Amino acid sequence: MLEIQNVTKSFGALEVLRGVDLTVEKGDVAAIIGPSGSGKTTLLRCMNFLERAGSGTMIFDGERVDLARVSGKEAARLRRKTAFVFQSYNLFRNKTALQNVTEGLTVARKIPREQAAETARRALRKVGMLDRADHYPHQLSGGQQQRVAIARAIAPDPEIIYFDEPTSALDPELTGEVLAVMRQLAEEGMTMLVVTHEMGFARNVSSKVVFMEDGRIVESGTARELFEHPRQQRTRAFLQTVPGVAE
Amino acid sequence: MNTRLLEILADSFPKILIPGLTVTIPLTAISFSLAMVIAVAMALVQFARVPVLTQLCRFYIWVFRGTPLLVQLFTVFFGMPKMGIRIDPFPAAVIVFSLNEGAYCAETVRAALESVPAGQLEAGYCAGMTWMQTMRRIILPQAMRTAFPPLSNSLIAMVKDTSLAANITVVEMFRAAEQINARVYEPLALYIEVGLIYLMFSTVLTWLQRAGERKLGAYENQEV
Ligand SMILES: Nc1ncnc2c1ncn2[C@@H]1O[C@H](COP(=O)(O)OP(=O)(O)OP(=O)(O)O)[C@@H](O)[C@H]1O
Ligand SMILES: [Mg+2]
């Protein structure tokens, strides 16, 4: 359903992505893991046109897109088929939880207000935030904000949701509620591409794990293959450094 | 205090207040509204870094912030007729005040736009919104909330600055007071009187500012 080929990206002289290929099938939950600075965030941002890739092709929903040359209008149209959950939530600060969810429906997708509100309430109920629908972001805890952000992501029924370390900004006791929501989405068949440091999630929830280092994909496979029988020495070395892997 | 002075003050009060209500306030209201349109447009152009237009904005702001308001008023009202452009006093004052105020407020609004975290714009994009939609619905409302107190200050300053229009024959409050003074020669009493009326206007605006800030306080513009 989604395929990227040979994506590169540099910031000045710094080569951050050095030719990344990746395929995500419908219903996949693909986890991207790797050391800090390996280019995971940059890859997601290039895929959603927040960052312009140096080169690379994306085949998405039957369309071929040149990541280096996509126009603003094209990008906006393609983004309406996707969603993005940020590490720092980025809820609209001047909107209530409900409005955060309806905004993309009424403004970007021209869905009638009533229908949008209903869809939004359904999404908020799914993440357990319906009772906070009229709260502003600053009135919510980090975990609650991230759950609203997930409701905002699922409401338009996207083809795929990108997550960039959705629990990294949270206190440990709040990560559970967010991971539970993500696990539920995975079980419902939502296609997800998740950059994460949560090895438990990568191992138990994802259908595919990608190990990235130094701007390249070193190895990818099922969670079992990657965690239990890593083929590459660098993957093994990385897994030894992260907590929660050795069991 | 003698009765003559009291009579002059009582007699002049409506004669000063009425131009205040019919000239000073409309002059301020019209000029400030236009200034806001200019300011938001200029701030957006700079925020979006539109080539050429950004440089033009910088040039305009440089000129209008770098020269005295009085010089600008004289140039338009007394100078332009030399080029065959004759403008009546009131519209001339509106043009100069809105351009001058627009230059200052453009900087206020631009700074406020830049204070909105980049993640807000990116979240708008990721929700499928265009740049324009995100600016209008998300970024500008947050920026205007930040800009509200400094813009209110500018407005209060502007009420008082409109007295400079007296120099280009606009009969606003200050010129009305001067005309009375020319007849009765009571400068101390009359200038204090007109000063107090300005103070009254500013006080009302200060109240409005507080009420506005309370209303906007419905959400906090805090860092997350
Ligand atoms: N806008 C930018 N300008 C310059 N350098 C950048 C920019 N964004 C990222 N980088 C650099 O690109 C490299 C990859 O960053 P990226 O954020 O993609 O890594 P990451 O794998 O997500 O790391 P982490 O696990 O810490 O989030 C880093 O060296 C980073 O400093
Ligand atoms: Mg990252």
Side-chain angles (χ1 to χ4, degrees):
Chain A
M1 186 204 63
L2 175 75
E3 188 178 347
I4 54 169
Q5 296 164 348
N6 201 26
V7 178
T8 66
K9 171 74 188 173
S10 300
F11 291 109
L14 180 70
E15 274 185 79
V16 178
L17 299 178
R18 303 163 188 257
V20 176
D21 302 301
L22 183 67
T23 307
V24 181
E25 301 297 345
K26 194 165 177 52
D28 263 357
V29 177
I32 304 180
I33 61 172
S36 181
S38 55
K40 307 181 296 294
T41 296
T42 306
L43 178 64
L44 280 197
R45 291 172 59 83
C46 285
M47 290 174 75
N48 217 15
F49 322 108
L50 293 176
E51 214 71 75
R52 187 174 288 276
S55 65
T57 308
M58 177 159 94
I59 299 159
F60 175 48
D61 209 17
E63 278 184 78
R64 178 175 284 268
V65 184
D66 183 343
L67 288 176
R69 259 178 280 279
V70 65
S71 72
K73 221 175 133 184
E74 251 327 72
R77 185 179 63 77
L78 290 165
R79 282 194 198 110
R80 287 197 278 275
K81 300 187 198 181
T82 69
F84 202 105
V85 175
F86 297 87
Q87 184 173 354
S88 51
Y89 338 126
N90 292 351
L91 290 183
F92 304 130
R93 299 186 304 182
N94 58 329
K95 303 279 175 191
T96 62
L98 185 76
Q99 291 167 339
N100 261 278
V101 184
T102 55
E103 200 67 9
L105 302 174
T106 55
V107 179
R109 294 172 181 82
K110 310 290 177 219
I111 293 170
R113 187 173 296 277
E114 282 306 304
Q115 194 188 330
E118 197 185 313
T119 308
R121 274 193 286 270
R122 218 177 306 127
L124 285 172
R125 183 175 312 119
K126 182 172 266 183
V127 300
M129 288 297 296
L130 190 54
D131 57 333
R132 298 281 196 284
D134 296 325
H135 285 52
Y136 283 93
H138 76 95
Q139 298 169 317
L140 301 172
S141 74
Q144 291 174 331
Q145 290 190 54
Q146 195 61 300
R147 284 190 281 148
V148 173
I150 293 175
R152 175 171 71 176
I154 60 178
D157 196 19
E159 302 284 324
I160 182 168
I161 306 180
Y162 303 109
F163 292 81
D164 186 14
E165 295 192 30
T167 58
S168 292
L170 297 174
D171 293 335
E173 67 269 24
L174 297 180
T175 59
E177 60 188 67
V178 172
L179 288 173
V181 169
M182 292 173 63
R183 182 187 285 261
Q184 188 193 340
L185 292 182
E187 281 163 8
E188 289 170 7
M190 176 61 79
T191 311
M192 299 157 60
L193 182 57
V194 186
V195 170
T196 187
H197 285 164
E198 288 287 337
M199 291 305 145
F201 180 87
R203 191 168 191 158
N204 302 320
V205 182
S206 62
S207 55
K208 177 176 179 175
V209 182
V210 176
F211 172 60
M212 227 178 130
E213 191 179 63
D214 216 6
R216 283 196 188 86
I217 289 179
V218 175
E219 181 169 355
S220 67
T222 64
R224 200 190 179 90
E225 284 167 356
L226 206 109
F227 284 104
E228 281 161 31
H229 310 287
R231 277 170 282 131
Q232 302 291 327
Q233 172 53 38
R234 289 160 73 189
T235 313
R236 274 195 289 274
F238 172 74
L239 290 176
Q240 269 157 18
T241 65
V242 288
V245 174
E247 270 169 33
Chain B
M1 219 195 277
N2 60 37
T3 41
R4 177 182 168 268
L5 193 56
L6 281 176
E7 258 168 44
I8 288 173
L9 285 176
D11 189 47
S12 60
F13 183 76
K15 290 181 181 149
I16 297 173
L17 182 63
I18 287 169
L21 297 175
T22 59
V23 181
T24 298
I25 289 179
L27 178 58
T28 309
I30 299 170
S31 304
F32 197 76
S33 308
L34 291 174
M36 276 300 101
V37 175
I38 295 171
V40 170
M42 300 271 164
L44 284 176
V45 162
Q46 293 180 74
F47 185 72
R49 299 202 176 80
V50 183
V52 186
L53 284 182
T54 299
Q55 281 75 33
L56 284 176
C57 286
R58 296 311 309 169
F59 178 77
Y60 152 80
I61 290 167
W62 175 63
V63 170
F64 276 87
R65 288 205 310 174
T67 56
L69 188 47
L70 193 57
V71 172
Q72 294 165 17
L73 281 167
F74 276 37
T75 307
V76 169
F77 186 70
F78 297 115
M80 298 287 252
K82 282 277 176 203
M83 302 195 319
I85 304 168
R86 195 168 297 280
I87 308 173
D88 283 342
F90 188 84
V94 167
I95 292 170
V96 171
F97 283 123
S98 40
L99 287 174
N100 182 277
E101 194 71 1
Y104 281 94
C105 294
E107 289 295 273
T108 308
V109 176
R110 183 181 61 82
L113 283 173
E114 275 162 13
S115 77
V116 178
Q120 295 286 304
L121 182 59
E122 294 186 345
Y125 285 153
C126 288
M129 295 198 268
T130 61
W131 184 85
M132 255 313 193
Q133 289 169 333
T134 313
M135 290 312 288
R136 190 164 49 79
R137 310 264 322 167
I138 309 297
I139 312 295
L140 259 178
Q142 292 183 32
M144 291 318 274
R145 186 187 182 283
T146 309
F148 187 78
L151 289 179
S152 304
N153 279 340
S154 300
L155 175 60
I156 292 169
M158 190 178 194
V159 176
K160 297 171 289 165
D161 285 346
T162 56
S163 59
L164 286 173
N167 293 293
I168 60 165
T169 78
V170 176
V171 187
E172 41 62 72
M173 267 201 319
F174 179 65
R175 194 170 174 98
E178 281 208 304
Q179 286 174 345
I180 298 167
N181 185 47
R183 262 190 300 111
V184 300
Y185 197 68
E186 281 296 343
L188 181 62
L190 285 167
Y191 290 148
I192 288 178
E193 184 173 35
V194 71
L196 286 173
I197 301 178
Y198 276 112
L199 189 59
M200 209 168 76
F201 285 8
S202 307
T203 308
V204 171
L205 283 176
T206 310
W207 288 339
L208 289 177
Q209 173 181 356
R210 283 221 199 93
E213 279 174 24
R214 257 200 305 277
K215 191 154 178 291
L216 287 170
Y219 71 91
E220 291 297 312
N221 225 355
Q222 63 166 28
E223 216 51 54
V224 275

